[in-house]
Each structure stands twice: as C-alpha cells, then as structure tokens.
C-alpha cells in the first residue's frame, strides 16, 4: 500500500531563510506529483504540479523537484516570508488511472517568524 | 464566480439530524471528489464522480450518501452521523485524466454533537 511521509512535520524559521520540505513515497512509481498549501480552516491551494514528463517545476520563489527513481520530492522555498506560513502537503499518483488514486501526505506545518 | 465553491462553511448537527453539503465547480471539469480531513491525518478520499458517474467509493459508511446531478454540482447527504465524523470535508474537481491537477474548495467544517 502506498504511503507518503512528509518531513519535517513542523518547521519554524526566521524570515528570509531558504528552506526545503521533503516528501517521500513507499512506492517510487509516482507518475505525477502536486504540492499544495493549506491555510488554517481553508481548503488546499495548488502550488506546483510535476507531470509525468517533468522532473521539476518553478513558480516564483518556489521550486519543486521529483526524483522518480527514489520516489522523493522536495519543495524549495527561497527567501521565506511570514505570509508563507501554512501547512504544505504533497500528493502523488501512480498514473495508471485518474486522480482518484492520488495519495496525500500529512503535511509540514511551516511558521515563518518576522 | 470561478473555482470550487462549498456551502455551508460551517455546520453543527446532532446525531439524529439530516443535512447536506454542497459543492459547485465553475472550471468545466469532468471529475469531482469528496475528501475528509481529520486532525493530524492525511486527506482521505471518500467518493469520486467522473462524468456524473460514481467511479469510486472508498468503503465509506452508508450514513454518507453522495449525489452528482451534473458535472458541476456535487452533494454529500448526511444522516445519523457519529461524533467521530466531525472533520473538514473538502470537495475537489479535475479534468479526470492523468496529469490533471486537483482544485479544492474551502471545505465545510462539520461538528457532530
């Protein structure tokens, strides 16, 4: 059974630091991977989607990469800001079916101190 | 209005009540999903609808009953719930194909008393 681990579970850093969030799958056969942000009491906002033919995606200060051989993904946040404080979740799918097979991690709760 | 809209945002109900959650998407997607998010647990997929047809039911108790009248609307009918059903219920939509990103609503925070 596919399981997803996100490390660390929580992280608190001062403003301005660069940081890396990690996500790993027990089954490395990940076809696509999506990173989400969730603010307290809110739904999930899609940040980046790495599709089957890609290894990484960038959006502004965010960069996500996927190593399909190991089933590991990282989300890199450059020059962190207090507004980046949220829970970050990764989700991956095996690709042989629709998005109904996507598995979510438990998330990393990020706090950026001013 | 764009995106995925869920109503109500908050719901408190007794164990004998009957209520419904509503989800509407304005993205032209073909697939809609119900997820349950409990404290400190990963998101759990409950139901999947593709072109209005239910394609997945992840062993969800019968006290949860989904309805998808068309590709833009999804309901979750609730009856005789238990306190452990208290959670954030999230609706999502996608094109329903591989590599299709999920788009989520803001969820309904359900409390069962």
């Amino acid at each position: 059974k596919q399981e997803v681990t996100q490390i660390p579970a929580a992280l608190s850093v001062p403003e301005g630091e660069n940081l890396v969030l990690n996500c790993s799958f027990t089954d490395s056969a990940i076809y696509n991977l999506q990173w989400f942000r969730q603010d307290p009491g809110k739904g999930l906002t899609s940040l980046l989607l790495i599709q089957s033919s890609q290894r990484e995606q960038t959006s502004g200060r965010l960069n996500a990469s996927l190593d399909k051989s190991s089933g590991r993904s990282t989300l890199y946040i450059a020059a962190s800001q207090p507004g980046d404080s949220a829970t970050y979740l990764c989700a991956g799918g095996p690709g042989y079916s629709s998005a109904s097979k996507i598995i979510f991690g438990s998330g990393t709760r990020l706090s950026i101190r001013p | 209005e764009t995106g995925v809209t869920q109503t109500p945002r908050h719901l408190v109900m007794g164990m004998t009540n009957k209520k419904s959650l509503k989800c509407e998407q304005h993205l032209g997607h073909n697939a809609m999903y119900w997820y349950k998010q409990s404290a400190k647990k990963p998101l759990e997929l409950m139901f999947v609808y593709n072109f209005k047809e239910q394609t997945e039911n992840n062993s969800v108790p019968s006290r949860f009953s989904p309805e998808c009248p068309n590709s833009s609307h999804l309901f979750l009918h609730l009856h005789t719930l238990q306190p452990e059903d208290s959670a954030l219920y999230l609706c999502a939509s996608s094109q329903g194909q591989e590599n299709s990103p999920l788009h989520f609503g803001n969820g309904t925070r359900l409390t069962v008393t």
Side-chain angles (χ1 to χ4, degrees), chain B residues 38-80:
Chain B
S38 303
K40 298 183 180 180
K41 293 176 65 176
L43 264 72
E44 302 172 57
L45 179 65
M46 301 175 70
F47 301 104
V48 181
Y49 278 83
N50 223 324
F51 291 98
K52 302 187 301 180
E53 299 296 324
Q54 185 178 133
T55 58
E56 191 142 346
N57 175 340
N58 271 7
S59 303
V60 180
S62 59
R63 57 186 184 270
F64 295 91
S65 175
E67 178 190 0
C68 188
N70 54 60
S71 294
S72 300
H73 293 85
L74 185 65
F75 296 89
L76 187 62
H77 303 299
L78 316 171
H79 64 98
T80 60

Side-chain angles (χ1 to χ4, degrees), chain A residues 2 25 27-34 49-55 66 68 71 91-99 101-102, chain B residues 97-100:
Chain A
Q2 177 72 280
F25 295 78
D27 183 345
S28 62
I30 297 299
Y31 188 77
N32 54 44
L33 186 133
Q34 198 167 357
L49 169 67
I50 302 175
Q51 298 184 347
S52 57
S53 59
Q54 301 169 330
R55 293 187 177 180
L66 174 62
K68 296 183 179 180
Y96 51 78
S97 63
S98 74
K101 296 298 183 184
I102 288 179
Chain B
Q97 302 166 351
E98 295 173 353
N99 284 325
S100 300

Side-chain angles (χ1 to χ4, degrees), chain A residues 28-47:
Chain A
S28 62
I30 297 299
Y31 188 77
N32 54 44
L33 186 133
Q34 198 167 357
W35 280 93
F36 295 89
R37 167 189 174 136
Q38 186 175 29
D39 293 289
K42 297 289 184 65
L44 278 65
T45 300
S46 180
L47 297 173

Side-chain angles (χ1 to χ4, degrees), chain A residues 66-103:
Chain A
L66 174 62
D67 181 348
K68 296 183 179 180
S69 63
S70 64
R72 295 183 179 182
S73 177
T74 59
L75 178 66
Y76 176 82
I77 303 177
S80 59
Q81 303 172 357
D84 294 330
S85 298
T87 296
Y88 290 80
L89 297 97
C90 66
Y96 51 78
S97 63
S98 74
S100 65
K101 296 298 183 184
I102 288 179
I103 305 296

